[in-house]
Amino acid sequence: MGDIRTMIDPPKFTADDNETVVRESLVAPLLRTLGYLEEEILPEYPLTFRLRDESKRLRADYLLSVQHEYDLPRNRIVIEVKRPAVSIDDDAFLEQALLYALHPEIQ
């Protein structure tokens, strides 16, 4: 596979663009270019977490669910998209990534 930057025409974002703009103009085309099939790309995938005595429901921007080549359980990859104006170093985003990684549907 060649340089990914030559495979798609990356959009120009502004600070006013939201997550949906990034998701639909960059991430979705990128996933298709990388060869993921539409049925493997699950947008706005709901995940429920049990934290102590409460439940927390989040929606992953994308869940990629790909058949493993050796008939093992499907590989699952969570993709969380953020708008251009936010820093991904924010502790809340890191906690969100950790929650996704620990979820039983993802492991």
Side-chain angles (χ1 to χ4, degrees):
M1 181 177 287
D3 186 340
I4 193 68
R5 292 172 291 186
T6 64
M7 300 172 102
I8 62 169
D9 186 21
K12 304 287 187 241
F13 296 113
T14 68
D16 294 330
D17 287 331
N18 63 28
E19 204 172 277
T20 302
V21 171
V22 176
R23 190 172 57 232
E24 297 306 318
S25 63
L26 176 66
V27 179
L30 178 61
L31 293 174
R32 288 185 202 98
T33 299
L34 291 172
Y36 290 100
L37 305 174
E38 291 299 321
E39 60 267 15
E40 296 172 331
I41 303 170
L42 309 173
E44 297 289 317
Y45 193 84
L47 294 166
T48 302
F49 300 87
R50 292 235 181 260
L51 303 171
R52 296 175 201 91
D53 294 334
E54 63 181 89
S55 289
K56 185 174 187 176
R57 189 170 175 92
L58 297 175
R59 288 192 180 274
D61 288 309
Y62 290 103
L63 179 76
L64 300 182
S65 184
V66 182
Q67 184 62 46
H68 195 281
E69 69 177 293
Y70 299 111
D71 284 333
L72 295 171
R74 296 180 76 82
N75 293 319
R76 292 185 166 214
I77 303 165
V78 174
I79 298 174
E80 185 60 28
V81 179
K82 298 298 177 199
R83 65 185 193 276
V86 301
S87 169
I88 60 171
D89 292 333
D90 185 309
D91 286 345
F93 300 143
L94 298 175
E95 179 182 333
Q96 185 179 18
L98 182 60
L99 284 173
Y100 288 146
L102 295 174
H103 196 281
E105 280 188 59
I106 306 304
Q107 293 182 350

